[in-house]
Amino acid sequence: MSYPIKSVNIIGSGNVATQLTLKLHQLGIQINQVFSVSIENATTLAKKVGSSPINDLNKLTSADLNLLMIKDDLIEKVATHPNLINSFLAHTSGSISMDALKANRRGVFYPLQTLTKDKTAKWEEIPLLIEASVEKDKSGLLELAERISKVVKEVDSEKRKHIHLAAVFVSNFINHLLVIGEDILNNKDMDFDILKPLIFEQVLKIKDHQPIKIQTGPAKRGDQKIINEHLNLLSDQPEYAAIYDLLSKSIKKRHGDEL
Amino acid sequence: MSYPIKSVNIIGSGNVATQLTLKLHQLGIQINQVFSVSIENATTLAKKVGSSPINDLNKLTSADLNLLMIKDDLIEKVATHPNLINSFLAHTSGSISMDALKANRRGVFYPLQTLTKDKTAKWEEIPLLIEASVEKDKSGLLELAERISKVVKEVDSEKRKHIHLAAVFVSNFINHLLVIGEDILNNKDMDFDILKPLIFEQVLKIKDHQPIKIQTGPAKRGDQKIINEHLNLLSDQPEYAAIYDLLSKSIKKRHGDEL
C-alpha cells in the first residue's frame, strides 16, 4: 500500500467515531464501511458519509486503515478478529497501550478532547497524539493527523497514559467540583449561575499564567479559621467535607515553602 | 444623610480595594480618603483617584460610606475603631458575618470574583452580594451596586458563607487540580499546554449544561480497571493518589443511581 491514507473503515458508532468519521469524510477520505453491533447505529453514521453499514466484522473488506473506536474494555478482545489482525489497525483511546492491539501494523490516533455526537468538534484545535509500530504507518498517521489538527504530537503509550491521567484530573474531576459547587448552592435554595463568572475567570487565567502562580484561597494563605468554618458548614455532607479537607491539605503541602 | 451614596472612604489597598476604588472613581463617586497601614500603598492608590492617603484611622473624616477591604482575620478588630463604629461601615468579604462589624449602620458589599491589582476587573459581570442592617442603607448599597454590575443580589450572611464555600470548590480547588495536572505532565517532561483545549471545552460546557449532566470519565462509568491503573501510575505521588481515589469514589456515589 502507499500513503497518504485514502480509505478508512470505522469500527464503532459512539461520540469519537461519529465526530472523527464526519471530519474524515469532509477531508475527502473514503469511508468504506461503518461497523457497529447495532446495525441501526451503523446505518445512522454510514448514511451521513455515503458508506456501507455492517454489524458483522466477518464482512469487513480492506481499507488503508481500520479505526477502532469502541469502549476501552472491549478493544483488546475485538482486536483479535482476523480481519483486524491482518490490517493496519489503530485505536483512539487515551488509556489503552498500542500493544493491546494484535495486528503487526498497529497504531494509536488519540484525540485529547471530550467529544459528543451532537456537537461538531473543532478539530483544528484538538491535540492528536500519534503512535505506530511501523515507521511508514506512523508517517501515514501523522500526515492524516496534520490535515485534521494544528496540534499533532508523537507520543508513546507510557506518556499517553500519563496525559490521560492528567486529563482525568483537569476534566472529569474539575467537573465533579462543579457538581459539588452546584449541590452546595442548591442545598440552600440558590442558583448555580451566580458562580459562573468566577469559574470562567479563574480557569481562563491559565491562558496567561501557570496554575501554581495563581493559587488563592484559605488553604493557600493558611487561614485555618475559615477552613474550620467551611468544614463545619459541610458537617451534614461528610463526603464533601472529606474532599475539602484533603484538597486543602494538598494545597498547603504543595505551597509549603511559601508559608 | 441622603442617598445616593456620593462619597466613600477606602480602608485597605489590596486587590479588591484597588479595583473597586478605581470603579467607584470612574462612576463619579468621591473617594475622600484611602487608608493603609503602609502610607506608600495608600498613596499609590489615592493618587489614581485624586484622594488623600492616610495611615492612621484617627485621621479618618466622614463620608457616606466607609468600605473596609482588608484581610478577613483583621476585619473584626479594625471594625472596633470609633471612627468606624460611628459611621456607615461595610466590608467586602465572602466569609465574614455582617455582625462582625460593630457599627449600628453596617453592611456587606461582596464581589464574587477573583481580583488582581493589575488587571482591570470587568465589573458589569461580577455578581455583587449585598446585605445591610438598616433598610435605608440597604437601598443605598443596592443602588450603588446596580451602577457597577448587572448581577446584584441581596444575600444574608448565612447564605453568603455557603456561596463562599462553593466558590472555594469551583475556584481554589479547581485551580489546584490544574496544578496537579501540570505536575503529572512535568514529571514526564511534557508540557501542560496540551491539556488546555480540553480544560476550556470541559468548563465552558456549563454555559449550556448542568455539570451533573455532563460528567464523564472512568469513575462515572465504573471502569475500575482504568481507575486501578491510574492509582498505580500515581504510586510515587501518594497525595495525588489519595485525591484521585477520594474524588473517584465521590463521583461513583453521586452518580450511584445510574450505575
Side-chain angles (χ1 to χ4, degrees), chain A residues 95 114 119 171-172 175-176 182-183 196 201-202 205-206 210-211 215-217 226 239 250 253-254, chain B residues 114 119 171-172 175-176 182-183 196 201-202 205-206 210-211 215-217 226 239 250 253-254:
Chain A
S95 55
T114 168
K119 192 181 167 196
S171 170
N172 307 149
N175 191 70
H176 187 55
E182 180 162 27
D183 284 347
K196 288 182 182 177
E201 175 78 11
Q202 177 69 51
K205 267 191 186 175
I206 64 171
Q210 255 196 299
Q215 185 68 54
T216 58
I226 299 291
E239 287 89 5
S250 178
K253 178 153 187 177
R254 185 66 180 77
Chain B
T114 167
K119 192 180 167 197
S171 170
N172 307 150
N175 191 70
H176 188 55
E182 179 162 28
D183 284 348
K196 288 182 182 175
E201 175 78 11
Q202 177 70 52
K205 267 190 185 175
I206 65 171
Q210 254 196 301
Q215 185 67 52
T216 57
I226 299 290
E239 287 89 6
S250 178
K253 176 152 189 177
R254 186 65 180 77

mmCIF file of all heavy atoms in Angstrom, chain A residues 95 114 119 171-172 175-176 182-183 196 201-202 205-206 210-211 215-217 226 239 250 253-254, chain B residues 114 119 171-172 175-176 182-183 196 201-202 205-206 210-211 215-217 226 239 250 253-254:
data_model
loop_
_atom_site.group_PDB
_atom_site.id
_atom_site.type_symbol
_atom_site.label_atom_id
_atom_site.label_comp_id
_atom_site.label_asym_id
_atom_site.label_seq_id
_atom_site.Cartn_x
_atom_site.Cartn_y
_atom_site.Cartn_z
ATOM 1 N N SER A 95 -6.060 5.575 27.206
ATOM 2 C CA SER A 95 -5.502 4.785 28.311
ATOM 3 C C SER A 95 -5.112 3.362 27.926
ATOM 4 O O SER A 95 -4.608 2.615 28.763
ATOM 5 C CB SER A 95 -6.514 4.739 29.455
ATOM 6 O OG SER A 95 -7.748 4.260 28.995
ATOM 7 N N THR A 114 -12.982 16.035 24.940
ATOM 8 C CA THR A 114 -14.253 15.403 25.267
ATOM 9 C C THR A 114 -15.219 15.699 24.115
ATOM 10 O O THR A 114 -15.492 16.858 23.803
ATOM 11 C CB THR A 114 -14.780 15.909 26.632
ATOM 12 O OG1 THR A 114 -16.122 15.493 26.783
ATOM 13 C CG2 THR A 114 -14.684 17.424 26.762
ATOM 14 N N LYS A 119 -22.485 17.707 18.912
ATOM 15 C CA LYS A 119 -21.820 19.000 18.786
ATOM 16 C C LYS A 119 -20.590 18.848 17.886
ATOM 17 O O LYS A 119 -19.670 18.084 18.200
ATOM 18 C CB LYS A 119 -21.400 19.482 20.184
ATOM 19 C CG LYS A 119 -20.960 20.931 20.197
ATOM 20 C CD LYS A 119 -20.525 21.359 21.597
ATOM 21 C CE LYS A 119 -19.797 22.682 21.547
ATOM 22 N NZ LYS A 119 -19.038 22.951 22.761
ATOM 23 N N SER A 171 -10.314 17.420 33.761
ATOM 24 C CA SER A 171 -11.592 17.398 33.047
ATOM 25 C C SER A 171 -12.673 16.727 33.907
ATOM 26 O O SER A 171 -13.588 17.382 34.393
ATOM 27 C CB SER A 171 -11.382 16.670 31.718
ATOM 28 O OG SER A 171 -12.590 16.413 31.078
ATOM 29 N N ASN A 172 -12.538 15.438 34.169
ATOM 30 C CA ASN A 172 -13.569 14.722 34.940
ATOM 31 C C ASN A 172 -13.660 15.241 36.371
ATOM 32 O O ASN A 172 -14.753 15.468 36.896
ATOM 33 C CB ASN A 172 -13.284 13.223 34.982
ATOM 34 C CG ASN A 172 -13.065 12.584 33.620
ATOM 35 O OD1 ASN A 172 -12.324 11.620 33.483
ATOM 36 N ND2 ASN A 172 -13.690 13.129 32.580
ATOM 37 N N ASN A 175 -15.001 18.788 36.658
ATOM 38 C CA ASN A 175 -16.459 18.797 36.505
ATOM 39 C C ASN A 175 -17.150 18.350 37.796
ATOM 40 O O ASN A 175 -18.195 18.897 38.170
ATOM 41 C CB ASN A 175 -16.889 17.903 35.340
ATOM 42 C CG ASN A 175 -18.344 18.103 34.998
ATOM 43 O OD1 ASN A 175 -18.737 19.140 34.486
ATOM 44 N ND2 ASN A 175 -19.173 17.124 35.337
ATOM 45 N N HIS A 176 -16.550 17.388 38.489
ATOM 46 C CA HIS A 176 -17.166 16.953 39.753
ATOM 47 C C HIS A 176 -17.137 18.068 40.797
ATOM 48 O O HIS A 176 -18.085 18.219 41.581
ATOM 49 C CB HIS A 176 -16.471 15.695 40.277
ATOM 50 C CG HIS A 176 -17.161 15.099 41.463
ATOM 51 N ND1 HIS A 176 -18.493 14.740 41.449
ATOM 52 C CD2 HIS A 176 -16.727 14.829 42.726
ATOM 53 C CE1 HIS A 176 -18.841 14.266 42.642
ATOM 54 N NE2 HIS A 176 -17.790 14.310 43.427
ATOM 55 N N GLU A 182 -22.522 23.228 42.748
ATOM 56 C CA GLU A 182 -23.965 23.350 42.499
ATOM 57 C C GLU A 182 -24.766 22.720 43.648
ATOM 58 O O GLU A 182 -25.772 23.285 44.094
ATOM 59 C CB GLU A 182 -24.341 22.704 41.163
ATOM 60 C CG GLU A 182 -25.835 22.806 40.884
ATOM 61 C CD GLU A 182 -26.211 22.584 39.421
ATOM 62 O OE1 GLU A 182 -25.478 21.885 38.709
ATOM 63 O OE2 GLU A 182 -27.260 23.127 38.998
ATOM 64 N N ASP A 183 -24.305 21.565 44.128
ATOM 65 C CA ASP A 183 -25.012 20.914 45.245
ATOM 66 C C ASP A 183 -25.066 21.825 46.472
ATOM 67 O O ASP A 183 -26.098 21.929 47.141
ATOM 68 C CB ASP A 183 -24.314 19.595 45.622
ATOM 69 C CG ASP A 183 -24.601 18.474 44.624
ATOM 70 O OD1 ASP A 183 -25.514 18.636 43.796
ATOM 71 O OD2 ASP A 183 -23.899 17.442 44.686
ATOM 72 N N LYS A 196 -20.848 31.228 37.901
ATOM 73 C CA LYS A 196 -20.225 31.038 36.579
ATOM 74 C C LYS A 196 -19.181 32.102 36.204
ATOM 75 O O LYS A 196 -18.121 31.745 35.682
ATOM 76 C CB LYS A 196 -21.315 30.916 35.507
ATOM 77 C CG LYS A 196 -22.048 29.578 35.603
ATOM 78 C CD LYS A 196 -23.108 29.419 34.525
ATOM 79 C CE LYS A 196 -23.839 28.082 34.704
ATOM 80 N NZ LYS A 196 -24.934 27.925 33.717
ATOM 81 N N GLU A 201 -13.546 33.090 34.842
ATOM 82 C CA GLU A 201 -12.388 33.961 35.062
ATOM 83 C C GLU A 201 -11.210 33.150 35.617
ATOM 84 O O GLU A 201 -10.073 33.291 35.167
ATOM 85 C CB GLU A 201 -12.764 35.081 36.039
ATOM 86 C CG GLU A 201 -11.616 35.985 36.457
ATOM 87 C CD GLU A 201 -11.252 37.025 35.413
ATOM 88 O OE1 GLU A 201 -12.016 37.188 34.450
ATOM 89 O OE2 GLU A 201 -10.189 37.654 35.558
ATOM 90 N N GLN A 202 -11.499 32.292 36.613
ATOM 91 C CA GLN A 202 -10.431 31.505 37.244
ATOM 92 C C GLN A 202 -9.754 30.586 36.221
ATOM 93 O O GLN A 202 -8.531 30.539 36.135
ATOM 94 C CB GLN A 202 -11.023 30.658 38.383
ATOM 95 C CG GLN A 202 -10.015 29.745 39.074
ATOM 96 C CD GLN A 202 -9.000 30.528 39.887
ATOM 97 O OE1 GLN A 202 -9.353 31.378 40.697
ATOM 98 N NE2 GLN A 202 -7.724 30.254 39.679
ATOM 99 N N LYS A 205 -7.740 32.190 33.298
ATOM 100 C CA LYS A 205 -6.457 32.772 33.719
ATOM 101 C C LYS A 205 -5.264 31.947 33.256
ATOM 102 O O LYS A 205 -4.163 32.481 33.103
ATOM 103 C CB LYS A 205 -6.402 32.858 35.246
ATOM 104 C CG LYS A 205 -6.860 34.167 35.817
ATOM 105 C CD LYS A 205 -6.505 34.210 37.310
ATOM 106 C CE LYS A 205 -7.072 35.456 37.961
ATOM 107 N NZ LYS A 205 -6.843 35.457 39.411
ATOM 108 N N ILE A 206 -5.444 30.614 33.080
ATOM 109 C CA ILE A 206 -4.282 29.793 32.701
ATOM 110 C C ILE A 206 -3.844 30.059 31.266
ATOM 111 O O ILE A 206 -2.803 29.557 30.846
ATOM 112 C CB ILE A 206 -4.521 28.279 32.906
ATOM 113 C CG1 ILE A 206 -5.633 27.760 32.012
ATOM 114 C CG2 ILE A 206 -4.810 27.991 34.372
ATOM 115 C CD1 ILE A 206 -5.738 26.238 32.026
ATOM 116 N N GLN A 210 0.764 30.264 34.836
ATOM 117 C CA GLN A 210 0.853 28.900 35.352
ATOM 118 C C GLN A 210 -0.111 28.753 36.524
ATOM 119 O O GLN A 210 -0.156 29.630 37.403
ATOM 120 C CB GLN A 210 2.259 28.681 35.879
ATOM 121 C CG GLN A 210 3.168 27.829 35.015
ATOM 122 C CD GLN A 210 4.357 27.400 35.837
ATOM 123 O OE1 GLN A 210 5.109 28.259 36.304
ATOM 124 N NE2 GLN A 210 4.523 26.108 36.026
ATOM 125 N N PRO A 211 -0.832 27.622 36.605
ATOM 126 C CA PRO A 211 -1.766 27.424 37.731
ATOM 127 C C PRO A 211 -1.104 27.632 39.102
ATOM 128 O O PRO A 211 -1.680 28.273 39.980
ATOM 129 C CB PRO A 211 -2.229 25.975 37.550
ATOM 130 C CG PRO A 211 -2.087 25.694 36.085
ATOM 131 C CD PRO A 211 -0.929 26.521 35.608
ATOM 132 N N GLN A 215 -2.665 30.381 42.483
ATOM 133 C CA GLN A 215 -3.455 29.747 43.547
ATOM 134 C C GLN A 215 -3.821 30.788 44.606
ATOM 135 O O GLN A 215 -2.976 31.564 45.031
ATOM 136 C CB GLN A 215 -2.649 28.611 44.179
ATOM 137 C CG GLN A 215 -3.426 27.806 45.218
ATOM 138 C CD GLN A 215 -4.553 27.011 44.571
ATOM 139 O OE1 GLN A 215 -4.330 26.260 43.639
ATOM 140 N NE2 GLN A 215 -5.774 27.209 45.061
ATOM 141 N N THR A 216 -5.088 30.806 44.986
ATOM 142 C CA THR A 216 -5.533 31.671 46.079
ATOM 143 C C THR A 216 -6.429 30.858 47.009
ATOM 144 O O THR A 216 -6.626 29.662 46.797
ATOM 145 C CB THR A 216 -6.332 32.891 45.549
ATOM 146 O OG1 THR A 216 -7.446 32.397 44.792
ATOM 147 C CG2 THR A 216 -5.479 33.785 44.666
ATOM 148 N N GLY A 217 -6.963 31.503 48.024
ATOM 149 C CA GLY A 217 -7.935 30.852 48.906
ATOM 150 C C GLY A 217 -7.404 30.582 50.295
ATOM 151 O O GLY A 217 -6.223 30.770 50.576
ATOM 152 N N ILE A 226 -11.035 30.003 58.688
ATOM 153 C CA ILE A 226 -12.022 29.854 57.612
ATOM 154 C C ILE A 226 -12.165 28.384 57.212
ATOM 155 O O ILE A 226 -13.283 27.893 56.984
ATOM 156 C CB ILE A 226 -11.616 30.696 56.378
ATOM 157 C CG1 ILE A 226 -11.548 32.187 56.728
ATOM 158 C CG2 ILE A 226 -12.592 30.462 55.224
ATOM 159 C CD1 ILE A 226 -12.879 32.826 57.008
ATOM 160 N N GLU A 239 -18.949 13.506 52.822
ATOM 161 C CA GLU A 239 -18.078 13.206 51.668
ATOM 162 C C GLU A 239 -17.457 14.499 51.132
ATOM 163 O O GLU A 239 -16.288 14.523 50.762
ATOM 164 C CB GLU A 239 -18.861 12.546 50.522
ATOM 165 C CG GLU A 239 -19.257 11.112 50.781
ATOM 166 C CD GLU A 239 -20.601 11.026 51.462
ATOM 167 O OE1 GLU A 239 -21.256 12.083 51.637
ATOM 168 O OE2 GLU A 239 -21.003 9.916 51.851
ATOM 169 N N SER A 250 -3.589 19.292 50.648
ATOM 170 C CA SER A 250 -2.714 19.152 49.478
ATOM 171 C C SER A 250 -2.218 20.523 49.000
ATOM 172 O O SER A 250 -1.042 20.669 48.638
ATOM 173 C CB SER A 250 -3.475 18.430 48.353
ATOM 174 O OG SER A 250 -2.675 18.313 47.199
ATOM 175 N N LYS A 253 0.416 21.665 51.426
ATOM 176 C CA LYS A 253 1.669 20.940 51.227
ATOM 177 C C LYS A 253 2.387 21.404 49.948
ATOM 178 O O LYS A 253 3.597 21.633 49.952
ATOM 179 C CB LYS A 253 1.378 19.438 51.155
ATOM 180 C CG LYS A 253 2.606 18.617 50.898
ATOM 181 C CD LYS A 253 2.511 17.213 51.446
ATOM 182 C CE LYS A 253 3.871 16.546 51.282
ATOM 183 N NZ LYS A 253 3.956 15.232 51.827
ATOM 184 N N ARG A 254 1.620 21.560 48.869
ATOM 185 C CA ARG A 254 2.223 21.931 47.576
ATOM 186 C C ARG A 254 2.845 23.330 47.634
ATOM 187 O O ARG A 254 3.805 23.624 46.932
ATOM 188 C CB ARG A 254 1.137 21.866 46.497
ATOM 189 C CG ARG A 254 1.614 22.109 45.076
ATOM 190 C CD ARG A 254 2.553 21.009 44.604
ATOM 191 N NE ARG A 254 3.005 21.243 43.234
ATOM 192 C CZ ARG A 254 3.940 22.118 42.901
ATOM 193 N NH1 ARG A 254 4.527 22.843 43.826
ATOM 194 N NH2 ARG A 254 4.305 22.254 41.639
ATOM 195 N N THR B 114 -12.458 36.673 41.615
ATOM 196 C CA THR B 114 -11.052 36.733 41.995
ATOM 197 C C THR B 114 -10.427 37.943 41.289
ATOM 198 O O THR B 114 -10.451 38.028 40.065
ATOM 199 C CB THR B 114 -10.324 35.411 41.656
ATOM 200 O OG1 THR B 114 -8.934 35.618 41.751
ATOM 201 C CG2 THR B 114 -10.669 34.912 40.253
ATOM 202 N N LYS B 119 -4.997 43.820 36.798
ATOM 203 C CA LYS B 119 -5.903 43.510 35.685
ATOM 204 C C LYS B 119 -7.249 44.189 35.934
ATOM 205 O O LYS B 119 -7.935 43.896 36.916
ATOM 206 C CB LYS B 119 -6.079 41.994 35.578
ATOM 207 C CG LYS B 119 -6.755 41.572 34.293
ATOM 208 C CD LYS B 119 -6.909 40.062 34.234
ATOM 209 C CE LYS B 119 -7.868 39.696 33.104
ATOM 210 N NZ LYS B 119 -8.373 38.328 33.247
ATOM 211 N N SER B 171 -13.294 27.437 42.458
ATOM 212 C CA SER B 171 -12.229 28.362 42.070
ATOM 213 C C SER B 171 -10.882 27.872 42.612
ATOM 214 O O SER B 171 -10.020 27.421 41.868
ATOM 215 C CB SER B 171 -12.591 29.756 42.571
ATOM 216 O OG SER B 171 -11.534 30.636 42.425
ATOM 217 N N ASN B 172 -10.727 27.895 43.933
ATOM 218 C CA ASN B 172 -9.440 27.498 44.521
ATOM 219 C C ASN B 172 -9.116 26.026 44.275
ATOM 220 O O ASN B 172 -7.993 25.670 43.903
ATOM 221 C CB ASN B 172 -9.429 27.741 46.029
ATOM 222 C CG ASN B 172 -9.818 29.142 46.439
ATOM 223 O OD1 ASN B 172 -10.372 29.343 47.507
ATOM 224 N ND2 ASN B 172 -9.557 30.137 45.585
ATOM 225 N N ASN B 175 -8.418 25.220 40.626
ATOM 226 C CA ASN B 175 -7.057 25.629 40.264
ATOM 227 C C ASN B 175 -6.022 24.614 40.760
ATOM 228 O O ASN B 175 -5.043 24.323 40.075
ATOM 229 C CB ASN B 175 -6.741 27.018 40.813
ATOM 230 C CG ASN B 175 -5.451 27.566 40.236
ATOM 231 O OD1 ASN B 175 -5.385 27.905 39.052
ATOM 232 N ND2 ASN B 175 -4.398 27.604 41.040
ATOM 233 N N HIS B 176 -6.262 24.047 41.946
ATOM 234 C CA HIS B 176 -5.306 23.050 42.456
ATOM 235 C C HIS B 176 -5.307 21.798 41.574
ATOM 236 O O HIS B 176 -4.245 21.190 41.366
ATOM 237 C CB HIS B 176 -5.640 22.699 43.905
ATOM 238 C CG HIS B 176 -4.590 21.823 44.540
ATOM 239 N ND1 HIS B 176 -3.250 22.165 44.582
ATOM 240 C CD2 HIS B 176 -4.677 20.605 45.134
ATOM 241 C CE1 HIS B 176 -2.569 21.194 45.188
ATOM 242 N NE2 HIS B 176 -3.413 20.239 45.523
ATOM 243 N N GLU B 182 -0.658 19.753 35.787
ATOM 244 C CA GLU B 182 0.646 20.221 35.296
ATOM 245 C C GLU B 182 1.785 19.408 35.924
ATOM 246 O O GLU B 182 2.750 19.042 35.246
ATOM 247 C CB GLU B 182 0.824 21.716 35.590
ATOM 248 C CG GLU B 182 2.179 22.229 35.118
ATOM 249 C CD GLU B 182 2.255 23.752 34.968
ATOM 250 O OE1 GLU B 182 1.515 24.440 35.689
ATOM 251 O OE2 GLU B 182 3.057 24.212 34.142
ATOM 252 N N ASP B 183 1.675 19.118 37.225
ATOM 253 C CA ASP B 183 2.719 18.322 37.892
ATOM 254 C C ASP B 183 2.879 16.950 37.230
ATOM 255 O O ASP B 183 3.999 16.472 37.026
ATOM 256 C CB ASP B 183 2.360 18.128 39.376
ATOM 257 C CG ASP B 183 2.623 19.389 40.202
ATOM 258 O OD1 ASP B 183 3.280 20.315 39.692
ATOM 259 O OD2 ASP B 183 2.173 19.428 41.369
ATOM 260 N N LYS B 196 -4.792 22.298 27.611
ATOM 261 C CA LYS B 196 -5.634 23.497 27.686
ATOM 262 C C LYS B 196 -6.912 23.431 26.837
ATOM 263 O O LYS B 196 -7.981 23.823 27.312
ATOM 264 C CB LYS B 196 -4.811 24.749 27.371
ATOM 265 C CG LYS B 196 -3.848 25.083 28.500
ATOM 266 C CD LYS B 196 -3.041 26.348 28.231
ATOM 267 C CE LYS B 196 -2.066 26.604 29.378
ATOM 268 N NZ LYS B 196 -1.180 27.753 29.095
ATOM 269 N N GLU B 201 -12.798 23.493 26.905
ATOM 270 C CA GLU B 201 -14.022 22.881 26.367
ATOM 271 C C GLU B 201 -14.874 22.316 27.512
ATOM 272 O O GLU B 201 -16.087 22.521 27.567
ATOM 273 C CB GLU B 201 -13.652 21.762 25.385
ATOM 274 C CG GLU B 201 -14.824 20.962 24.848
ATOM 275 C CD GLU B 201 -15.590 21.672 23.745
ATOM 276 O OE1 GLU B 201 -15.108 22.695 23.229
ATOM 277 O OE2 GLU B 201 -16.694 21.194 23.402
ATOM 278 N N GLN B 202 -14.226 21.613 28.446
ATOM 279 C CA GLN B 202 -14.962 20.988 29.554
ATOM 280 C C GLN B 202 -15.675 22.047 30.394
ATOM 281 O O GLN B 202 -16.856 21.920 30.703
ATOM 282 C CB GLN B 202 -13.990 20.187 30.430
ATOM 283 C CG GLN B 202 -14.623 19.556 31.655
ATOM 284 C CD GLN B 202 -15.560 18.416 31.285
ATOM 285 O OE1 GLN B 202 -15.197 17.507 30.559
ATOM 286 N NE2 GLN B 202 -16.785 18.463 31.788
ATOM 287 N N LYS B 205 -18.547 24.123 28.788
ATOM 288 C CA LYS B 205 -19.795 23.357 28.601
ATOM 289 C C LYS B 205 -20.891 23.769 29.576
ATOM 290 O O LYS B 205 -22.074 23.609 29.289
ATOM 291 C CB LYS B 205 -19.520 21.865 28.806
ATOM 292 C CG LYS B 205 -19.190 21.100 27.548
ATOM 293 C CD LYS B 205 -19.190 19.606 27.848
ATOM 294 C CE LYS B 205 -18.732 18.811 26.644
ATOM 295 N NZ LYS B 205 -18.607 17.376 26.959
ATOM 296 N N ILE B 206 -20.510 24.276 30.765
ATOM 297 C CA ILE B 206 -21.548 24.609 31.746
ATOM 298 C C ILE B 206 -22.337 25.845 31.334
ATOM 299 O O ILE B 206 -23.337 26.167 31.968
ATOM 300 C CB ILE B 206 -20.995 24.785 33.180
ATOM 301 C CG1 ILE B 206 -20.047 25.978 33.279
ATOM 302 C CG2 ILE B 206 -20.337 23.501 33.653
ATOM 303 C CD1 ILE B 206 -19.662 26.309 34.715
ATOM 304 N N GLN B 210 -25.991 21.534 32.800
ATOM 305 C CA GLN B 210 -25.720 21.337 34.229
ATOM 306 C C GLN B 210 -24.505 20.429 34.384
ATOM 307 O O GLN B 210 -24.412 19.401 33.694
ATOM 308 C CB GLN B 210 -26.909 20.623 34.850
ATOM 309 C CG GLN B 210 -27.814 21.468 35.708
ATOM 310 C CD GLN B 210 -28.694 20.569 36.549
ATOM 311 O OE1 GLN B 210 -29.440 19.774 35.998
ATOM 312 N NE2 GLN B 210 -28.603 20.684 37.860
ATOM 313 N N PRO B 211 -23.581 20.736 35.312
ATOM 314 C CA PRO B 211 -22.412 19.874 35.495
ATOM 315 C C PRO B 211 -22.776 18.391 35.687
ATOM 316 O O PRO B 211 -22.127 17.514 35.118
ATOM 317 C CB PRO B 211 -21.751 20.448 36.758
ATOM 318 C CG PRO B 211 -22.166 21.878 36.795
ATOM 319 C CD PRO B 211 -23.529 21.940 36.160
ATOM 320 N N GLN B 215 -21.026 14.812 33.321
ATOM 321 C CA GLN B 215 -19.912 14.085 33.941
ATOM 322 C C GLN B 215 -19.517 12.909 33.054
ATOM 323 O O GLN B 215 -20.370 12.177 32.568
ATOM 324 C CB GLN B 215 -20.337 13.569 35.323
ATOM 325 C CG GLN B 215 -19.203 12.908 36.107
ATOM 326 C CD GLN B 215 -18.139 13.911 36.511
ATOM 327 O OE1 GLN B 215 -18.428 14.943 37.105
ATOM 328 N NE2 GLN B 215 -16.888 13.617 36.173
ATOM 329 N N THR B 216 -18.220 12.764 32.818
ATOM 330 C CA THR B 216 -17.711 11.598 32.078
ATOM 331 C C THR B 216 -16.500 11.060 32.834
ATOM 332 O O THR B 216 -16.146 11.568 33.900
ATOM 333 C CB THR B 216 -17.275 11.987 30.648
ATOM 334 O OG1 THR B 216 -16.287 13.024 30.737
ATOM 335 C CG2 THR B 216 -18.449 12.474 29.824
ATOM 336 N N GLY B 217 -15.870 10.031 32.287
ATOM 337 C CA GLY B 217 -14.629 9.513 32.846
ATOM 338 C C GLY B 217 -14.767 8.137 33.482
ATOM 339 O O GLY B 217 -15.869 7.613 33.629
ATOM 340 N N ILE B 226 -9.320 0.886 34.736
ATOM 341 C CA ILE B 226 -8.584 2.138 34.460
ATOM 342 C C ILE B 226 -8.277 2.874 35.771
ATOM 343 O O ILE B 226 -7.171 3.398 35.955
ATOM 344 C CB ILE B 226 -9.408 3.057 33.526
ATOM 345 C CG1 ILE B 226 -9.668 2.371 32.183
ATOM 346 C CG2 ILE B 226 -8.698 4.394 33.317
ATOM 347 C CD1 ILE B 226 -8.456 2.208 31.311
ATOM 348 N N GLU B 239 -0.045 11.620 47.718
ATOM 349 C CA GLU B 239 -1.082 12.630 47.984
ATOM 350 C C GLU B 239 -2.039 12.740 46.796
ATOM 351 O O GLU B 239 -3.252 12.891 46.981
ATOM 352 C CB GLU B 239 -0.468 14.016 48.238
ATOM 353 C CG GLU B 239 0.226 14.165 49.577
ATOM 354 C CD GLU B 239 1.677 13.757 49.494
ATOM 355 O OE1 GLU B 239 2.159 13.477 48.365
ATOM 356 O OE2 GLU B 239 2.343 13.709 50.548
ATOM 357 N N SER B 250 -16.302 9.644 45.220
ATOM 358 C CA SER B 250 -17.373 10.628 45.342
ATOM 359 C C SER B 250 -18.206 10.681 44.052
ATOM 360 O O SER B 250 -19.442 10.792 44.102
ATOM 361 C CB SER B 250 -16.766 12.001 45.654
ATOM 362 O OG SER B 250 -17.764 12.994 45.737
ATOM 363 N N LYS B 253 -20.396 7.629 43.973
ATOM 364 C CA LYS B 253 -21.510 7.756 44.914
ATOM 365 C C LYS B 253 -22.561 8.744 44.404
ATOM 366 O O LYS B 253 -23.763 8.472 44.456
ATOM 367 C CB LYS B 253 -20.962 8.213 46.273
ATOM 368 C CG LYS B 253 -22.057 8.454 47.288
ATOM 369 C CD LYS B 253 -21.591 8.235 48.714
ATOM 370 C CE LYS B 253 -22.824 8.287 49.615
ATOM 371 N NZ LYS B 253 -22.565 8.028 50.997
ATOM 372 N N ARG B 254 -22.097 9.886 43.882
ATOM 373 C CA ARG B 254 -23.025 10.929 43.420
ATOM 374 C C ARG B 254 -23.861 10.445 42.246
ATOM 375 O O ARG B 254 -24.997 10.874 42.062
ATOM 376 C CB ARG B 254 -22.216 12.173 43.036
ATOM 377 C CG ARG B 254 -23.036 13.401 42.659
ATOM 378 C CD ARG B 254 -23.832 13.933 43.827
ATOM 379 N NE ARG B 254 -24.629 15.110 43.469
ATOM 380 C CZ ARG B 254 -25.774 15.053 42.791
ATOM 381 N NH1 ARG B 254 -26.253 13.886 42.419
ATOM 382 N NH2 ARG B 254 -26.431 16.159 42.508
#
